[in-house]
Amino acid sequence: MIYERITEELKERFREAWAVAVLTGAGVSVESGVPTFRGGGSAPVWKGLPVEKIATLEMLRTDPVTFWQWYAYRREVIEEAEPNPAHRAIAAWERHFERLTVITQNVDGLHQRAGSRNVLELHGSLWRVRCMRCGLKSEDRRVPLPEIPPHCPACGGLLRPDVVLFGEAVPEDIFSQAVAATATCDLFLVVGTSAVVYPAAALPVLAKQNRALVIEVNPEATPVTEIADVTLLGRAGEILPLLSPPENGTG
Ligand code: OAD
């Protein structure tokens, strides 16, 4: 069902939920100034190369400079970005619901910066790096990077961002936690994702099979729209604060 506005009945069902899972995609960070991968007619291209070609292991191996220039650029954009009202609303919900799990496909860290603590990063984080030689993982928030490509402080090997590149699998442990949160929630929100990239795209279906109320928030219809109980057409930063239960938590 597509709603143009939020009804009192929907607000009540939202408020009375117990265990909530929120699946987010690039759209939740749009109002922070972070571009999406799809939608709105945009086709991300960097130096004439589509992102699906750059953000790959093959590119890192054959042209680490171009690969890292793209990631350095993304780190610069995201470092300047601030969490928006959508990130902040989701973070505040942790205080209201018995359980709230954020399952994000984003690598920008904006949910955590807004205050969310229970965040499953399906596609990793731009703010962690991993050594291709010794496997050392570390947090790395340097912007700009002192060298491109960056090298491991321990062994001098080439570093990679600790993100899921195109063609790579989502980490199994994180995904199984996401499946558990999805299968046991009574309210599942899908915010700002085109819902075409698997395995994340399977989660709304799983939530629905387990009888959660599925609410989608997106300015455009997506494959989730067909199975969602409610689709709220609009921008996450405008809609999510309107769903928020009163701050005193008593509803
Ligand atoms: P997409 O770029 O595919 O989709 C972004 C979605 O956000 C679209 O459906 C837009 O309509 C919606 N959107 C735009 N502005 C919005 C707003 N203000 N509020 C709410 N929604 C808005 O992004 P994802 O679905 O996150 O994976 O993409 C999934 C994965 O595809 C990414 O994580 C990335 C890419 O391949 C990897 O890099 C592994």
Side-chain angles (χ1 to χ4, degrees), residues 163-195:
V163 300
V164 173
L165 299 172
F166 284 93
E168 290 185 323
V170 166
E172 256 175 54
D173 56 332
I174 305 279
F175 191 64
S176 59
Q177 290 177 60
V179 165
T182 301
T184 55
C185 70
D186 55 356
L187 176 67
F188 190 85
L189 264 115
V190 191
V191 184
T193 175
S194 57

Side-chain angles (χ1 to χ4, degrees), residues 24-28 30-31 35-40 51-52 55 71 74 105-107 123 164-166 168 191-197 217-222 234-237:
T24 66
V28 81
V30 161
E31 289 150 86
T36 59
F37 294 88
R38 306 171 189 82
V51 169
E52 287 87 347
Y71 276 101
R74 291 197 68 199
Q105 297 165 87
N106 299 344
V107 294
H123 293 164
V164 173
L165 299 172
F166 284 93
E168 290 185 323
V191 184
T193 175
S194 57
V196 293
V197 176
V217 179
N218 198 308
E220 295 173 10
T222 74
R235 291 150 64 95

Side-chain angles (χ1 to χ4, degrees), residues 29 78 81 83 87 104-116 119 121 124-127 141:
S29 296
I78 289 165
H87 298 109
T104 190
Q105 297 165 87
N106 299 344
V107 294
D108 56 30
L110 288 173
H111 284 298
Q112 292 91 331
R113 277 187 47 204
S116 283
V119 183
E121 291 178 313
S125 170
L126 263 190
W127 305 112
R141 297 197 164 262

Side-chain angles (χ1 to χ4, degrees), residues 126-154:
L126 263 190
W127 305 112
R128 277 194 314 268
V129 290
R130 195 161 92 214
C131 178
M132 301 274 286
R133 190 191 288 161
C134 73
L136 182 76
K137 244 189 213 191
S138 54
E139 190 179 277
D140 187 335
R141 297 197 164 262
R142 297 173 298 173
V143 174
L145 286 163
E147 56 161 351
I148 287 184
H151 289 90
C152 176

